[in-house]
Amino acid sequence: MKREKQIGEIRQGLAFIESYIAIGRSTNLTDPNIHGEEFVRVLLNILFGYKLINANQGAGNYACIDLIDYELALGIQVTSEKGSNKISKTIDCLKRRAMNKSIKNLKFFTLKPKQKTYKINASCPGIKFDWQNDIIDFNDAMQSIVNIQDESKLNDIHSFVIRSTTIFTNYSTSIPSLYLPKKHSNLSWLSFSSQSTKLVGRDSELKILGDFLESSKDFSWWVITGSAGCGKSRLALELCLIYQDRDWNVGFVPRSNDNFNWSKYKPLKNTLIVVDYVVSRTKQISDIVLELSRSSKAAGCSTRILLLERDSESWINKFIREDSLIESSEMIKAKYHQSEMKLTGLRQPAMLEMARNLNLSRHGVWDDDIEKRIVKWMNRDDINCRPLYVMLLSEFPNIEEPEELLRTVLKRENQRRRELIESGDLVIKYENLLYLSTVVGGILPKNGDFIHITSSDSSGLLPDLGVLDFNKYFSVSCSHNETDSIPGLQPDLIGELYVLDCLNVNGVAGLRFKNLLKMAYENQPDDFVAFVTRCYIDFRNHLSFQKLFNLPLNSSKNRLTKAKLIAQSSCFPSIIFDEFLQNELNNITLIGDSYSEESELNEWIAKSEYNYACSLMFPRYSSFLLHLLKYNRADSIKEAIRRFSSVEQRAGSTSKFTYMALLNMGTLIGEVKTEEAIAIYTKVIESQYSEDETMACALNNRANIYQKRNDHKSAISDREKIFKLSNTSADRRFVGYFGCGESHFALEMYERAVQDMTMILESEDIIESDKLFALIVRSVGYYFINKVRPNAVKDLELASIMLLNFVENEALKTKLNQLIEYCLSKDWDESELLLQDIKEGEKRWYTDMFLKISRLLIMIGNGDGESLEKEKWSELRKLAISKANRMRIYNPE
């Protein structure tokens, strides 16, 4: 029924578009024809897998045609003219311009119903064209659509047609509410939105971000992390402004925007969505990304989500929905293929350019002494050339310490507040409001107002929000709000220090700040947790930091918030050396024991224990640092196993998180107690509460144990069960097929091993790096099957080309590319010389693999000894297997 409905709506949509274009043509309007070209381009790309682009975007002169696919050497003319004359003119044009060098196939798409016959009076040697097969119209396209068997392709075409018309009112075509911060340098020259300084030193980052935006996926997301004040938000704003000029829909997602129906979002043009402060709304943003990964088949329009945060450790597992492996695999598949962008401070030339401009504009002076002092100060490890500190030091050049510099700004702002607000009592209330809003990252309205704030027990500490002079408040907070929340003190570093310093005040003033902290804790718990997380990163050694954890636990809601805070904090790798956080974790587990009936509380405590156990299991530090800090691997493994076991006891047998813990516990136990590990994996496999993806993990893990025992038949049996599960990720299937291949090699069943690798290569959703390893292993399988050795060479040649995608060093890439050309042209002497030259250069895994492949090709070309050749093939296979396995296990080295 769904298929019939989709085909019916596609037919309606195509008929509407055909009529729309016909009306436009009859009234001499050209726009409908232009839109028709773009519609046809996207439709044919989806329908036939073409890679058509507008011919005007090409490097050559393609005046004769409208669309071109460079790979297929296919040219398409889109026309609304009837008769044969247009076709003959186009062919004459191609002949006259000698287009047969770049176009080998020609087709016409007529926007009006085509004729039964055509009389063509032109031809172009070298270009294939048959009017009976190569003239198509909407009826032909519809017939091809009806014959589609691929459900995802039909979904894509349906989605595209719906979004390209205005007749389907039952589908949402609204766009999310995005905003771009406006310039308000008169309020705060330190805020990123003020754009009070020129962005310098970020050209390479903007280029990399441009590659992300213009990558081939319809939808993808990416992360920028970096210390406070390094310029994440400013960089994202600059990117938005650049792509706004390129007709993208761009902007930041307001924190209060939670009613938009993302599942029906169908972008009508390329869209960049920026999310600042992910920690405070991880679940909300994760929901959006998952919805878009499933539904945003843009078919010609790209949707990109860019996430900004200090770190990724404290939220990424929750964001990618680690407790649901199948959803997690969907999230990971939608992620941009590069590792997160870790933004650091400016490089020294850019830092000095920024400092010079600021000093000249503010003080009118710049000399060698100033430059030397700034270089010395900015290169400190705790400053690291962050742009915020460049701005601060240019304003206050004689300050020696970072916190002193921030407090100097706070003192000046305090004085400005008292000059701006005449009443002393009102100043205190404004400061209280500033404190509260900073702790929650901006006070959010409920049902469009702030009654929940004005009716609270501590409301007397705040100004009357009903008559608040917001312009004056914006000046006080050094910010300007683009949404309906009440903003906190900006920039973040200054706001955090302001709150912590206020908490350090004693007496009556200190009591009011504690009461306001309690109000923040109870009214916006997730935002409070996010604020504490940022303070941990920036000011964990502040005297008041631990006071942020001393909060009332007199209600189930407060206890739950405390558990979320501990779960968030336990994500930090440093917890394995942080006695304070470990004590907080132990305390919350005791609270959970006392309130065993509060299932959600204990679920979050279980997550805390799981996070801590993962840090013990995979410490994210170098071996040298772990040794220096006296990290004991054996004791940590015991503690990790205890914590994983506690997860099951606390969360219960129906929790998805329990089976994640069991999988990790089996991995740890399996190092020495394989029978116990098999029992754990079997429990996961046989549980009715395990998702398909969780079962697939357990089956692969159990198969790995069988494989180490040389029980390859049992290993293959387990892995084949994975392929029968209906809801597993590409990653799990890759591990299954790859493992089957290893077992088939061990059993000398080379034909089956080749089939396993072919299954990987023919899977659409398995990533390219995995296909690379499968291709290499398949080539070895072909080698051991005597009759198909030419296929082994062919696979190696293709693998060497694929390897170039991993090489970042342009000089090295040029050499490797030359080596490929020598090998393909069988110029073995030049290949040997270049091979020796490369060996002296960069040594990376892809270089090593590339050189092994090249060595084999040279040996085969030179007819070297069979036994030595066999040894090299085996070495190459082991390297591919080793690398494929390492990519799935976190390696601190």
Side-chain angles (χ1 to χ4, degrees):
M1 291 177 67
K2 176 185 174 183
R3 176 183 173 85
E4 289 178 6
K5 181 175 183 291
Q6 285 181 321
I7 289 175
E9 289 180 337
I10 293 170
R11 183 176 281 111
Q12 284 180 267
L14 295 186
F16 171 80
I17 290 168
E18 187 178 63
S19 300
Y20 173 75
I21 292 169
I23 293 171
R25 180 69 178 169
S26 66
T27 55
N28 294 319
L29 295 176
T30 58
D31 281 352
N33 286 329
I34 294 172
H35 295 316
E37 290 175 13
E38 181 61 16
F39 179 85
V40 168
R41 181 186 74 81
V42 178
L43 178 66
L44 296 184
N45 281 348
I46 303 173
L47 185 54
F48 299 118
Y50 295 156
K51 295 181 180 178
L52 295 166
I53 64 170
N54 190 299
N56 294 328
Q57 297 175 6
N61 184 358
Y62 296 100
C64 310
I65 56 170
D66 297 313
L67 309 173
I68 186 168
D69 181 327
Y70 287 106
E71 291 185 15
L72 297 177
L74 169 65
I76 295 182
Q77 177 72 21
V78 181
T79 180
S80 58
E81 293 184 29
K82 282 195 169 186
S84 307
N85 191 42
K86 173 67 174 178
I87 297 171
S88 296
K89 283 183 178 180
T90 299
I91 296 173
D92 279 337
C93 179
L94 293 171
K95 182 179 180 180
R96 192 167 59 252
R97 293 174 177 265
M99 300 292 283
N100 56 358
K101 295 179 180 178
S102 48
I103 295 175
K104 304 301 180 185
N105 300 280
L106 176 65
K107 291 182 183 294
F108 284 81
F109 193 104
T110 172
L111 299 170
K112 291 185 175 182
K114 66 182 183 182
Q115 302 170 184
K116 291 183 179 180
T117 61
Y118 287 84
K119 185 176 181 181
I120 311 302
N121 298 318
S123 64
C124 181
I127 296 181
K128 180 184 175 183
F129 172 73
D130 174 9
W131 70 263
Q132 292 179 309
N133 297 312
D134 293 328
I135 300 176
I136 55 179
D137 59 9
F138 284 115
N139 285 329
D140 295 319
M142 192 64 228
Q143 187 57 53
S144 297
I145 291 167
V146 169
N147 293 330
I148 290 175
Q149 298 302 314
D150 184 339
E151 182 181 346
S152 64
K153 181 184 287 190
L154 187 63
N155 288 338
D156 287 352
I157 293 176
H158 177 257
S159 174
F160 170 61
V161 171
I162 294 298
R163 285 182 292 102
S164 300
T165 64
T166 57
I167 61 175
F168 299 101
T169 56
N170 56 321
Y171 293 95
S172 169
T173 57
S174 60
I175 62 173
S177 175
L178 304 177
Y179 75 95
L180 280 178
K182 298 173 184 176
K183 289 186 178 182
H184 292 287
S185 54
N186 59 316
L187 294 178
S188 173
W189 64 286
L190 291 174
S191 173
F192 81 93
S193 61
S194 70
Q195 301 175 58
S196 57
T197 61
K198 179 185 176 183
L199 185 73
V200 296
R202 298 301 191 193
D203 291 347
S204 61
E205 287 85 353
L206 285 171
K207 182 181 182 303
I208 293 169
L209 287 166
D211 292 340
F212 160 59
L213 264 59
E214 296 171 19
S215 55
S216 59
K217 282 186 178 181
D218 288 335
F219 170 74
S220 61
W221 59 274
W222 203 24
V223 181
I224 299 180
T225 59
S227 304
C230 71
K232 300 182 296 295
S233 301
R234 178 62 196 281
L235 179 63
L237 176 58
E238 195 77 15
L239 185 70
C240 284
L241 295 174
I242 290 171
Y243 277 81
Q244 185 181 49
D245 290 341
R246 299 179 186 179
D247 198 33
W248 279 52
N249 182 32
V250 300
F252 289 66
V253 178
R255 289 172 59 236
S256 56
N257 182 28
D258 56 0
N259 296 320
F260 184 77
N261 189 346
W262 291 93
S263 65
K264 289 189 175 182
Y265 173 51
K266 308 296 180 185
L268 299 176
K269 62 180 180 179
N270 295 335
T271 303
L272 167 60
I273 300 168
V274 179
V275 182
D276 213 347
Y277 305 111
V278 183
V279 170
S280 62
R281 42 184 174 160
T282 304
K283 176 63 167 59
Q284 175 196 355
I285 304 303
S286 177
D287 288 345
I288 292 172
V289 169
L290 185 62
E291 288 285 2
L292 291 178
S293 71
R294 292 171 172 174
S295 65
S296 183
K297 300 296 184 180
C301 294
S302 300
T303 302
R304 300 286 179 262
I305 292 188
L306 189 61
L307 310 174
L308 314 181
E309 250 313 341
R310 306 286 177 81
D311 74 305
S312 58
E313 288 94 348
S314 62
W315 57 273
I316 195 68
N317 288 339
K318 180 181 176 183
F319 177 79
I320 64 172
R321 311 168 92 86
E322 188 183 44
D323 58 340
S324 174
L325 284 181
I326 188 60
E327 290 183 350
S328 180
S329 67
E330 290 181 78
M331 297 286 285
I332 292 170
K333 182 181 177 183
K335 181 182 176 294
Y336 185 50
H337 62 85
Q338 299 286 356
S339 301
E340 68 186 55
M341 176 183 283
K342 295 183 178 180
L343 199 64
T344 58
L346 295 171
R347 298 167 188 84
Q348 187 160 303
M351 181 272 290
L352 286 174
E353 179 186 349
M354 182 179 180
R356 184 185 304 110
N357 293 339
L358 284 167
N359 275 268
L360 288 174
S361 64
R362 290 183 173 273
H363 309 295
V365 61
W366 180 263
D367 56 35
D368 290 344
D369 290 339
I370 295 175
E371 180 173 321
K372 289 177 183 177
R373 179 172 51 78
I374 287 178
V375 168
K376 181 180 179 181
W377 205 94
M378 295 303 297
N379 281 329
R380 291 171 45 153
D381 289 341
D382 53 352
I383 301 300
N384 193 25
C385 291
R386 282 180 276 173
L388 176 63
Y389 281 105
V390 179
M391 299 174 75
L392 291 172
L393 191 61
S394 298
E395 181 72 4
F396 305 104
N398 298 317
I399 306 297
E400 296 297 328
E401 293 298 326
E403 283 195 19
E404 184 185 356
L405 187 59
L406 298 177
R407 287 196 174 97
T408 300
V409 176
L410 287 172
K411 289 176 184 176
R412 189 174 77 171
E413 290 304 313
N414 179 58
Q415 181 62 35
R416 192 170 66 85
R417 279 195 298 272
R418 294 178 185 278
E419 292 173 357
L420 187 68
I421 306 168
E422 297 176 359
S423 167
D425 182 58
L426 192 57
V427 167
I428 291 174
K429 290 189 174 184
Y430 266 79
E431 288 177 345
N432 291 344
L433 180 61
L434 189 63
Y435 174 93
L436 177 63
S437 59
T438 302
V439 173
V440 295
I443 302 172
L444 297 174
K446 290 185 179 179
N447 301 317
D449 57 43
F450 297 97
I451 292 175
H452 63 292
I453 297 294
T454 56
S455 62
S456 68
D457 294 340
S458 300
S459 60
L461 296 172
L462 305 173
D464 186 347
L465 298 183
V467 295
L468 183 69
D469 184 341
F470 277 96
N471 286 329
K472 186 175 289 187
Y473 177 77
F474 291 148
S475 181
V476 165
S477 64
C478 304
S479 63
H480 189 279
N481 203 31
E482 306 293 339
T483 62
D484 51 1
S485 65
I486 301 175
L489 184 60
Q490 295 292 319
D492 288 337
L493 273 177
I494 292 172
E496 291 162 22
L497 187 60
Y498 172 67
V499 170
L500 290 169
D501 282 354
C502 287
L503 274 178
N504 210 33
V505 174
N506 295 317
V508 177
L511 182 61
R512 81 169 188 264
F513 289 127
K514 290 178 182 177
N515 288 333
L516 290 166
L517 193 69
K518 179 175 177 289
M519 184 189 293
Y521 175 70
E522 292 179 342
N523 278 283
Q524 290 179 216
D526 291 342
D527 296 310
F528 170 81
V529 169
F531 176 80
V532 178
T533 302
R534 290 195 293 271
C535 287
Y536 181 82
I537 296 171
D538 298 326
F539 296 105
R540 73 180 73 179
N541 295 320
H542 193 286
L543 293 173
S544 295
F545 172 73
Q546 295 184 11
K547 294 180 181 179
L548 295 171
F549 288 75
N550 296 333
L551 294 158
L553 301 175
N554 54 349
S555 69
S556 59
K557 180 182 177 182
N558 285 358
R559 288 189 288 273
L560 180 60
T561 300
K562 182 65 178 285
K564 289 180 178 180
L565 176 58
I566 303 306
Q568 193 78 29
S569 303
S570 64
C571 292
F572 289 110
S574 57
I575 190 174
I576 62 177
F577 304 115
D578 192 320
E579 291 186 11
F580 170 73
L581 288 184
Q582 290 176 28
N583 288 333
E584 287 293 317
L585 174 57
N586 291 333
N587 290 338
I588 199 67
T589 58
L590 294 175
I591 291 169
D593 293 339
S594 300
Y595 294 93
S596 57
E597 72 281 4
E598 296 181 11
S599 58
E600 191 176 1
L601 167 68
N602 280 281
E603 181 86 12
W604 277 97
I605 295 172
K607 290 180 181 180
S608 299
E609 297 207 84
Y610 176 85
N611 291 338
Y612 180 38
C614 285
S615 293
L616 293 168
M617 183 180 182
F618 297 121
R620 283 163 278 182
Y621 297 97
S622 67
S623 298
F624 173 75
L625 185 58
L626 290 172
H627 175 73
L628 195 66
L629 296 172
K630 298 180 180 179
Y631 171 81
N632 186 303
R633 175 69 176 168
D635 289 345
S636 294
I637 293 300
K638 289 180 183 178
E639 180 64 10
I641 291 172
R642 186 181 77 80
R643 296 284 182 175
F644 283 134
S645 178
S646 176
V647 169
E648 180 181 14
Q649 297 169 14
R650 193 172 296 278
S653 62
T654 62
S655 170
K656 296 175 183 178
F657 231 86
T658 290
Y659 298 100
M660 292 290 296
L662 286 173
L663 286 172
N664 283 343
M665 189 162 66
T667 301
L668 292 174
I669 291 174
E671 294 181 8
V672 289
K673 301 177 180 178
T674 56
E675 289 302 327
E676 286 187 33
I678 286 175
I680 289 172
Y681 295 140
T682 302
K683 181 178 180 179
V684 174
I685 293 163
E686 294 178 352
S687 171
Q688 61 176 314
Y689 299 106
S690 290
E691 295 179 318
D692 283 359
E693 183 76 352
T694 314
M695 292 172 62
C697 279
L699 285 164
N700 268 325
N701 289 355
R702 192 169 71 178
N704 289 339
I705 295 176
Y706 291 146
Q707 195 166 299
K708 288 178 182 178
R709 294 177 172 179
N710 291 321
D711 183 1
H712 292 288
K713 290 185 178 179
S714 296
I716 291 169
S717 174
D718 265 3
R719 298 196 199 276
E720 287 179 341
K721 290 174 185 175
I722 295 170
F723 312 138
K724 296 177 182 178
L725 297 172
S726 60
N727 207 10
T728 57
S729 70
D731 188 72
R732 225 53 64 202
R733 282 181 276 109
F734 165 76
V735 174
Y737 283 124
F738 207 75
C740 278
E742 291 183 63
S743 290
H744 284 136
F745 262 103
L747 297 172
E748 297 185 354
M749 300 170 67
Y750 304 123
E751 291 89 350
R752 291 291 302 278
V754 166
Q755 290 174 18
D756 295 327
M757 299 305 109
T758 301
M759 290 299 294
I760 293 172
L761 292 166
E762 291 180 351
S763 297
E764 291 184 2
D765 55 350
I766 290 180
I767 61 175
E768 288 303 305
S769 58
D770 287 343
K771 289 186 176 182
L772 166 66
F773 301 129
L775 190 66
I776 292 170
V777 172
R778 189 175 73 171
S779 73
V780 181
Y782 278 142
Y783 167 78
F784 284 105
I785 304 172
N786 288 326
K787 60 184 178 181
V788 287
R789 289 199 180 183
N791 286 349
V793 174
K794 188 186 299 183
D795 275 0
L796 282 190
E797 291 172 345
L798 181 56
S800 64
I801 294 171
M802 290 177 67
L803 272 166
L804 285 177
N805 294 327
F806 295 89
V807 182
E808 297 175 357
N809 185 306
E810 290 300 324
L812 177 63
K813 181 179 283 191
T814 300
K815 287 184 178 180
L816 295 177
N817 194 41
Q818 185 65 60
L819 183 56
I820 291 175
E821 292 181 8
Y822 285 149
C823 289
L824 293 179
S825 62
K826 306 187 186 311
D827 191 339
W828 308 119
D829 291 338
E830 290 294 338
S831 298
E832 186 70 44
L833 289 172
L834 188 54
L835 186 65
Q836 296 303 320
D837 180 44
I838 294 172
K839 279 186 177 181
E840 303 301 321
E842 182 184 6
K843 191 69 172 175
R844 299 287 294 274
W845 72 267
Y846 47 74
T847 317
D848 193 20
M849 195 171 287
F850 197 102
L851 296 180
K852 279 184 166 55
I853 290 173
S854 301
R855 167 57 64 194
L856 266 173
L857 291 173
I858 293 171
M859 290 173 63
I860 294 167
N862 287 329
D864 287 351
E866 176 73 14
S867 60
L868 182 60
E869 192 176 307
K870 184 174 182 178
E871 179 184 334
K872 294 295 182 184
W873 282 100
S874 297
E875 285 179 9
L876 179 63
R877 174 177 160 267
K878 289 176 183 177
L879 178 62
I881 292 171
S882 172
K883 179 57 188 173
N885 289 337
R886 277 204 304 275
M887 290 183 74
R888 278 160 181 78
I889 300 174
Y890 183 81
N891 185 350
E893 302 299 329

